[in-house]
Amino acid sequence: MKSERALVAHLMRRAGFGATPSELDKLTMEKTYEEIVEDLVTPERFPALDQSFIDRYYGGEQVAVHVGKWLYRMANTQRPLEEKMSLFLHHVFPVAWGKGEHNPSIYNEIDMFRRIGLTDIRTILLELSHDPAMIFWLDNNENHKDEINENYGRELLELFSLGVGNYTEDDIKAASRAFTGWTFRQPLSLYPSGNYPTEFEFLADDHDYGEKIFLGETGTFDGGDIIDIIARQPATARFISRHLYNFFVEDEAQVPSWNTEPPRNAAAIEKMASVFTETGGQMRPVLREMFNSDFFKQAADFKKVKSPTELVVGVVRQTGEFNSPTPGIYQFALTTLDDSEVESTMAVMGQKLLNPPTVEGWHTGREWIDSGTLSERIRFVESQFEDVSKPGVREMVERVGSLHDDPAHLVSRCLDLLGGVRVSRHTYDSLVEYARGLASMKSGESAGVHNLLQMTASTVDYQFE
Amino acid sequence: MKSDRALVAHLMRRAGFGATPSELDKLTMEKTYEEIVDDLVDPDRFEALDTSYIERYYGGEPVAVHVGKWLYRMANTPRPLEEKMSLFLHHIFPVAWGKSEHGHSLYTQIDMFRRVGMTDMRAILLELSRDPAMIFWLDNNENHKDEINENYGRELLELFSMGVGNYTEDDIKAASRAFTGWTFRQPLSLYPNGHYPAEFEFIEDDHDHGEKTFLGHTGNFDGGDIIDIIVRQPATARFISRHLYNFFVEDEVQVPSWNTEPPRNEDAIRELSDVFLESGGQMRPVLRTLFNSDFFKQARDLKKVKSPTELVVGVIRQTGEFSSPTPGIHQFAITTLNGSLVEGPLAIMGQRLMNPPTVEGWHTGHEWIDSGTLSERIGFVESQFEDLSKPGVREMVERAGSLDGDPAQLVDRCLDLLGGITVSENTYDSLVRYASELRGMGGGEEGAPVGVHNLLQMTASTVDYQFE
Amino acid sequence: MATKSADKTLVVVQLTGGNDFMNTIVPYTNGHYYDARNKVVMKQDEVLPISDTLAMNPNAAPFKRLYDEGKMAIIQGIGYPNSNRSHFRGMDIWHTAEPDRVGNEGWLGQAIRELDPNAENVLTGVNIGMGLPRAMAVNGVPVTSVGDLENYGVMTRLEQERLREKALEAFKGIYGQAIGTGPVADYIGQTGLDVLKGADMLADVAERYESDVEYADNQIAKNMRDIARVHFADLGTRIFYTSHGGYDTHANEMPTHPKLMNDVSGAISDFMDDLEEHGKADDVAVFVFTEFGRRMRDNGSGTDHGSGGGAYIFGKNVRGGLYSEYPSLDPSDWEHGEDLQHTIDFRGIYGSLLEQWLDVDAKPIVKGEYEQISPFAN
Amino acid sequence: MSRPHGLLRAGYPYLRTLGMRRVIGYPTDVGWTDDGNALILMRSEGAASVRIWPIEDADLFTDDLKGFGSYGAGDGQMVWPVQLITDGEGHIYISDEATHRITRFDPDGQFVSKFGARGDSDGEFDGPTGISFDPDGNLVVVDSKNHRIQRYTVDGEYLGGFGSHGSEPGQLDLPWGVHVDELGDIYVADWGNNRFQAFSPEGELKIAVGKLGDGEAEFDRPTGVAVDAHGDIYVSDWGNNRVQMFNSEGHYLWSFRGDASLSRVARNYMLTNAMSNRLREMGRIEQEKYLRRPRSVRIDSDFRLFIPDYESYRVQIYQKDVVVLDRTQFAAPLRNPTLEVT
């Protein structure tokens, strides 16, 4: 055993979408914790999924189909942090399908996140500013030389990089002027032949080539120059670090209060920010620093609420139902907004992936949970572990053992099998009690260890990463 | 003056197509002889001609049009040695349009020569062996695993690399086997849409993968291996060096007698061969050595007969008529064999460029000259210098000065203006006499007026002008 | 061996481009001909029959006259093996008599070398036209190529008489004095003087000529007249060469081919008459050839390159008539599914001309022995 | 004089291939007559003429291939002809960049008049290339080697001009083809700068599109330009073997790479030539349909797009398939791109 099972399980939940029991066996046997971190931040070491293989089976235009494909990727990728960073960027730079209803732009954007998520902040912001979905979402296509639209300029500073309090209204104007002429080619309309992708286009004629003053610097800046300046700001380092901390380590307050609320762990943020600044905004070193830090390891005890996506993908990985393309994955993502008659589980849980509610994205942490969403989470977990013919469920049932075994041992094995879940003493006692009850019902035809798995996955503790 | 005018003129004639008076002014003022040589062997220092600019004006399918474009390039390139090396390779690897009548392949072959001419012998022979025009010309497309055709294998050894006497019939067989399967993809036929390019194709199934023994080496050689072995042979170094010597320095006897006739200058060949072998067959060091050598500088006094191409390009550089695309350059190259009703001067002078008579290429040196070709040379020069409206002629007439000046000085200036040529004493005297007689004839009572251009014409018609 | 005016003279006329043999000597009663030719076809009621199966092109009436007088031999189905139907390759083969490899010595050049081994007369072989044909080109064999008889020589562009004289004087000085300054310069100097010598010999040929025959105003007629002028000047020429272009009738054959037939047949019959008038008809034969015949089927407007053509020999001492076989027109006999097969090798005809007319051993020139015909009266 | 409000862009079905080698030699530009003939301007070294060829394509070679003009510098001859246009009376105008003149022929191809003299003063040419009529019936001429545009009456009286040498917007470098639309705007293929530019009648730059490359809206030596009645712009992209299409604002819309089929004459030729058929069976035929070095592009009033396919001896013709919409069928112009579903 080269690494500690519980700690690796924690790492794989946070940096990915959880590990199955056999994956944990292998990882802890073969690699040290630090080696696993290194593998995570270096996804190129592992083969990428073959997109054509996914496209071969999953066809269709609805957003739910695209979300389904993304879920499939998250569940099956050998580069978990790559997908997790895409999800992170989708959280931080939330663009909703609902404004443009232009599917290719949205899934191309996620693809772009996948490509650049582990590069550096300059590349990330530059690609983001080139992204047609973002341009349309924040109206930069209406940002003209002779008619400034500040929407993108404002959000870039407020939500995507510096955070409130680190710039002036004049800086917003300057930034907005610098992004004039950054637009996209008009794509062909949906009818009669379906959506075509669109492309970034720079219209030199519509660009304000004049002098601008931005964050104290003066020049005939264009968008790229603005991003260069932004990337150098300590505020950006702190802001991105806090986002990472919030996403990977511990639920923070919601973003709008960050300029008033101090971080939960200022020392951690400072540490990450200094690595960010030293490396010129490189993501890999910051992530490496974070995952190897004590604060991250200790966060295994923190109750960090899973996002609906994390919950769904974690469960799907454990049931093994979608370890190869299988019909139905898109159903997790259906919403009535996209011509379905019912809302699917993710929508009910409050995360319409690829379709966040506002430019601030989803409110996370405990705000994921209310009575409606929680009952959906439990119902979902229950239903997923019901069918013992799913390969993952069957494997778990086999590994858990018989109901005749010692109930405490049974529960411990269940918790381990579900990804090294840690539960409170109270929860543990309740589960042992339930196991004992199941054993006594042995004459009933339907009772089995899978009921114990269902119950374990339905605990409050399972809602935490 | 950093370099000697007469020497630079000699260098520019041999390594290029001659320099105009103003080019000589500039070169000798700005650079040493060695710097000029360095510029020549390093053509990348100068921007290549914009081929789209040439294509914009010169369109058409007949080979004469392609030759015309080549003449244009030779006359206007800022990289004269690049073109001259292409001409050299066309001389030693002569492929004729006439067998295939596939103009496209010929044209791309010359382009390939231009690209590889100053690289190394291995690259040159490899590209040559993959060239569809060459493959068809020497029947390598009929060289099959189970039915060897030795045409290419034989000429590769005999004419393209080592020369007779340095290999056996068995070596030819082995080389031929190694080139089996080296063929080209059938291009679309001429009708109805014109020629499409042909492309090299290696047919694995038709290649003899068996063991071969070639020049004492044994292995499952393919064509590339054969070329590797060829390039390492001292015989190849000598053969290519002698070719370079023959082309750039001094007329040798015709190639078929090289295995019996010793070279004109054994030391020079040895010096070039050594550089060739030391550098692994690189052309640039060999050429640099050649142009910087004493034997090259002394060759100024050797009478090397201009090929028709060199004569024509030299003249049109001097007349300036084609210093930018101008109609008619293809007319120098037309031949009745390609649909024309008349022969152009190059054909009459005996050099149908891109259409050499045989795989041995043209017989050069004094064999360029017979009564028909000589009268054409003189008639050509005469006609080209006749029209005073051509920019180069006008400039020369202006620079030559008036007939009223001292005839000897006038002749001196004419000789310099035509590219720093040197003439025998007798010729010089004849020209001076002619100049003073021209002066005596004054304005002329009938026909075109007598002028300096008559003297230029006569100077360009001398025996000495036929030499490089 | 000095040449004598009593020796036989051969005039070679090249029809450049590939003359349509089927529309020259027309198989006017053959159904296959009319099946294959839709538009480019000679009408049965317009041709000039010379037998039950063959007729002369109606525009070649002068040929019909010569044929009727027994002065025209028609060699049917002449060709060479493995024709690739290329103009260049075709001409190359005809010029060098080497169908299997690319030759480098012209067959007539080799004959001239035999006729004048010491290269004593620069006019033993004369080409009338621009550029020396490869048939006459052999290294070391001086041959004169006359584009324009009136202006042959150097410095001919100088219109002013006195200026030209001075120029020629200077030229002679320069080229004459070059001799003795080294082998190459010597050679070039000598060659320059040869040009002047040839020009001197030809200088007044044009003026001396008189004839009642009026040649037509076209290029081939002018060239035939120039041949007559030089020949009548008794300069020792044994082989004349000239060519007539425009036979590559891919398109518009019906309007263009008649003029070609008209011009070439008129020029040759005028030349024959001229010979007769000057009492020189006995010792001159005219050999007319083309690089190949044309395709069996027409393409709606013209005909494309084929093989198996025809050649013709004219002369007072020629035994007129048909030689060899007319190629089979049956589609099952077509070469490549589209061409006439040749029925006699051209090298046999060269052999006949060289040996029976010029008295030159043909074997080294045509590289072997081929079936000959006997077209000459003895 | 106003533009239609919109059109249903449905595509560009391929219409026809005209001619073949021997019938058409190096087509460099094309015009048309009222009676259904294409006027194909042919130029290669030592040869130049105009072939009159039915747009329906001839069934067979005819014995009287129609055409006029020949190579040479005499009246009615041409050396390096570049563009051919016809006026309302069927008179034909041809520019010649070697003889520095514009020649006018009557509808039968007989020489009528000529003008032009070499030089760089006003009213002189150095290599006139593109020619086009403006809405007033005057001739707009690209004076290529002087890098400028000039305007003349059809009789050769100089009316004015603009343009200078360089690569800045509005400057020109060896410009080639030209088209003047019905509004009088002048579109020029700016050959050396790898772009096309549009100017107001007064010579004020309106748009400049393109740079060196082979992507969308990139060019390798653009040769010709045409504008249709809808304002769509077509540019022959010589080095990239294609024609690119742009809307009136200069936005890239489409590329034409060629879809040639065998013309009727070519089909007939093939039927009589067994050997060429065998060779075709062994060659890669797909490449045959693509354009090779187009030197011009033209569109007629029936929206037939003619591309002289210079190195393949033919003219490829597409048909624009559109329905023009009225005001009620077409939304107000968008200022910005949108991702919204329509």
Side-chain angles (χ1 to χ4, degrees), chain B residues 50 52-53 55-61 65 185-186 188 190-196 199 325-327 330, chain D residues 21 26 43-45 79 97-98 144 174-176 191 221 269 279 283-284 288 292 295 310 312-314:
Chain B
D50 177 355
S52 72
Y53 181 69
E55 299 288 332
R56 170 176 174 148
Y57 294 98
Y58 292 131
E61 177 191 274
V65 175
R185 182 72 201 271
Q186 175 64 45
L188 286 175
L190 180 59
Y191 295 103
N193 299 324
H195 279 302
Y196 282 80
E199 274 167 30
T326 305
H330 73 286
Chain D
R21 187 177 180 274
Y26 282 94
R43 159 180 170 182
S44 68
E45 281 309 290
V79 175
E97 62 182 327
S144 187
L174 287 170
W176 190 324
W191 184 88
R221 304 307 190 202
Y269 172 85
L279 292 175
R284 260 181 315 192
E288 209 181 44
R292 287 198 283 175
R295 286 202 164 206
Y310 186 71
S312 285
Y313 304 95
R314 65 192 172 196

Side-chain angles (χ1 to χ4, degrees), chain D residues 71-104:
Chain D
Y71 182 86
D75 286 349
Q77 292 188 304
M78 35 207 157
V79 175
W80 279 355
V82 182
Q83 288 207 307
L84 174 155
I85 52 175
T86 51
D87 67 13
E89 289 149 22
H91 279 230
I92 299 153
Y93 295 76
I94 295 174
S95 59
D96 186 331
E97 62 182 327
T99 59
H100 312 285
R101 69 191 183 195
I102 313 291
T103 303
R104 179 182 189 174

